[in-house]
Amino acid sequence: METDLEKRAKEAFVDDNFDLAVDLYTQALDMDPKNADLYADRAQANIKLDNFTEAVADANKAIELDPSIAKAYLRKGTACIKLEEYQTAKTALEAGASLAPGDSRFTRLIKECDERIAEETIDLPKKVMPNALPSTMSPPSNITAEIRKDPQSPKDSPCQSAVIPNKPKYRHDYYNSSTEVVLTIFAKGIPANNVSVDFGEQMLSVIIDIPGEQKYHFQPRLFGKIIPEKCRYTVMSSKIEIRLSKAEPITWTSLEFSDKRTVPQRINTSSVPMSKRPSYPSSKAKIDWDKLEALVKKEEKEEKLDGDAGLNKVFQDMYRDADEDTRRAMNKSFIESSGTVLSTNWKDVGSKKVEGSPPEGLELKKWEL
């Protein structure tokens, strides 16, 4: 049943008052946090405000709550196109098209993704080489340089300006290896079920949502492209460790994307002796990164989680290493059974609704919201 807040939010959206619509949808979600439609509708309002990373996060949450909601895939695809995440957009749109085969919007946007991906493939050598301007163009180039040096310039990338907070709640750091970038967010005592991490083609979304506290968002556009299905994360007692699998063996000179024209340094793995450990860039001198990495691995190995935390880690590891069909089966069975069934067989649960199966002696009750 549509609530008064949801009705007012839709009216504000129709009246092009998108800020108010987002605010009203947020209030409605505070009262009904498991409503996938509200997340999908707030994603659409965020798209209208050019809040594309927030729109992706909302669409992902809607899909998590209800994998069969076609409009969530449409909104995720639309936002990812705006972020130039064409491969991620295409994957979402194809999933949505399978749920709504008669909707021409999916076909049109998938075609746009194919065209953009083809353009990127053709232009790839140009992106790697520095684009030096001819001498006749030096005055405009100098003007551009002056603008970029101004720290107060408001016209940076819309993606960057939307997602970089002025005062980050948690400190983070990263280091390179030949195949991945390891990002550490130093957040102590955070329950694993309060952490949400999503990976895009060149985008990372980290959300820490602690009841009673302001939600932490870290959603940068990354320096380089990654392989989402190979990325993983672990929530530990003192930090969140995120491993980003590089699409290309190049050194990331920063974590986040920059429009400054630089030539990425390719890591020549074949010329490095097998016994030599990779070195990592740092702004500080004389840091033994090999020793630091060994210490981190030892801490991970010795960390013991009990009770719900230990069980959550088992399920996280299972989900992290699973293929796409297994993940879909786990999500669908867990949601439809109200958390009483967890299946990894998509063929078994994909075509039917998963009924709840409470432990012996207990009764499953469905609550009316």
Side-chain angles (χ1 to χ4, degrees), residues 175-182 225-227 230-232 243-252 267 269 278 280 293:
Y175 64 87
N176 279 274
S177 75
S178 60
T179 59
E180 64 182 8
V181 170
V182 180
K225 291 189 176 182
I226 58 176
I227 307 173
K230 292 186 179 181
C231 298
R232 60 194 189 278
R243 293 183 173 268
L244 305 171
S245 178
K246 295 179 179 178
E248 293 183 282
I250 59 174
T251 299
W252 289 19
I267 301 173
T269 55
Y280 310 113
E293 184 180 19

Side-chain angles (χ1 to χ4, degrees), residues 26 29 39 63 71 82 86 108-109 144 154 159 173 188 208 217 223 228-229 233 268 278 280 290 296 311 346 355:
T26 301
L29 281 166
Y39 278 106
I63 293 168
K71 64 181 178 181
K82 295 294 186 180
Y86 302 120
R108 176 176 56 80
L109 291 174
T144 303
C159 176
D173 202 354
K188 292 184 178 180
I208 302 176
H217 288 261
F223 177 87
E229 59 270 21
Y233 73 97
N268 188 357
Y280 310 113
D290 292 332
V296 169
L311 186 60
W346 178 249
E355 299 295 336

Side-chain angles (χ1 to χ4, degrees), residues 145-353:
E146 288 296 321
I147 293 173
R148 286 183 181 165
K149 287 177 183 177
D150 181 7
Q152 302 299 324
S153 176
K155 296 297 182 181
D156 272 340
S157 162
C159 176
Q160 291 177 320
S161 63
V163 300
I164 301 178
N166 292 327
K167 295 181 180 179
K169 186 174 182 179
Y170 302 110
R171 182 173 62 88
H172 67 268
D173 202 354
Y174 80 100
Y175 64 87
N176 279 274
S177 75
S178 60
T179 59
E180 64 182 8
V181 170
V182 180
L183 169 66
T184 301
I185 298 177
F186 298 94
K188 292 184 178 180
I190 304 298
N193 58 354
N194 293 103
V195 178
S196 174
V197 181
D198 289 301
F199 304 100
E201 187 180 2
Q202 196 174 348
M203 185 180 69
L204 170 68
S205 173
V206 182
I207 298 176
I208 302 176
D209 190 4
I210 305 296
E213 297 183 12
Q214 185 176 3
K215 187 182 294 186
Y216 169 80
H217 288 261
F218 182 56
Q219 298 169 317
R221 185 179 181 192
L222 299 171
F223 177 87
K225 291 189 176 182
I226 58 176
I227 307 173
E229 59 270 21
K230 292 186 179 181
C231 298
R232 60 194 189 278
Y233 73 97
T234 306
V235 180
M236 291 179 274
S237 59
S238 59
K239 63 187 178 182
I240 302 167
E241 183 176 273
I242 302 170
R243 293 183 173 268
L244 305 171
S245 178
K246 295 179 179 178
E248 293 183 282
I250 59 174
T251 299
W252 289 19
T253 56
S254 66
L255 179 66
E256 299 180 38
F257 173 83
S258 172
D259 58 358
K260 295 181 180 179
R261 296 184 176 93
T262 59
V263 182
Q265 181 181 355
R266 183 170 291 273
I267 301 173
N268 188 357
T269 55
S270 60
S271 63
V272 178
M274 292 300 292
S275 60
K276 187 175 180 180
R277 301 289 293 170
S279 59
Y280 310 113
S282 173
S283 59
K284 298 180 181 180
K286 297 181 180 180
I287 295 180
D288 189 340
W289 288 104
D290 292 332
K291 184 177 179 180
L292 178 60
E293 184 180 19
L295 185 63
V296 169
K297 289 182 177 179
K298 181 181 178 182
E299 180 181 329
E300 292 175 2
K301 185 176 180 181
E302 293 179 351
E303 183 177 32
K304 295 181 180 180
L305 301 176
D306 299 321
D308 290 341
L311 186 60
N312 282 336
K313 189 173 189 305
V314 171
F315 288 141
Q316 285 175 1
D317 292 342
M318 183 190 304
Y319 187 86
R320 180 191 64 207
D321 299 330
D323 58 28
E324 187 62 29
D325 281 346
T326 301
R327 291 184 178 185
R328 291 166 65 193
M330 292 174 71
N331 281 332
K332 187 173 186 294
S333 62
F334 188 81
I335 292 169
E336 292 183 352
S337 69
S338 299
T340 60
V341 175
L342 184 65
S343 173
T344 59
N345 189 343
W346 178 249
K347 291 182 179 179
D348 182 45
V349 302
S351 59
K352 64 181 182 181
K353 182 175 180 180

Side-chain angles (χ1 to χ4, degrees), residues 20-32:
L20 178 59
V22 168
D23 183 56
L24 290 169
Y25 279 127
T26 301
Q27 293 180 47
L29 281 166
D30 288 339
M31 300 177 64
D32 188 5

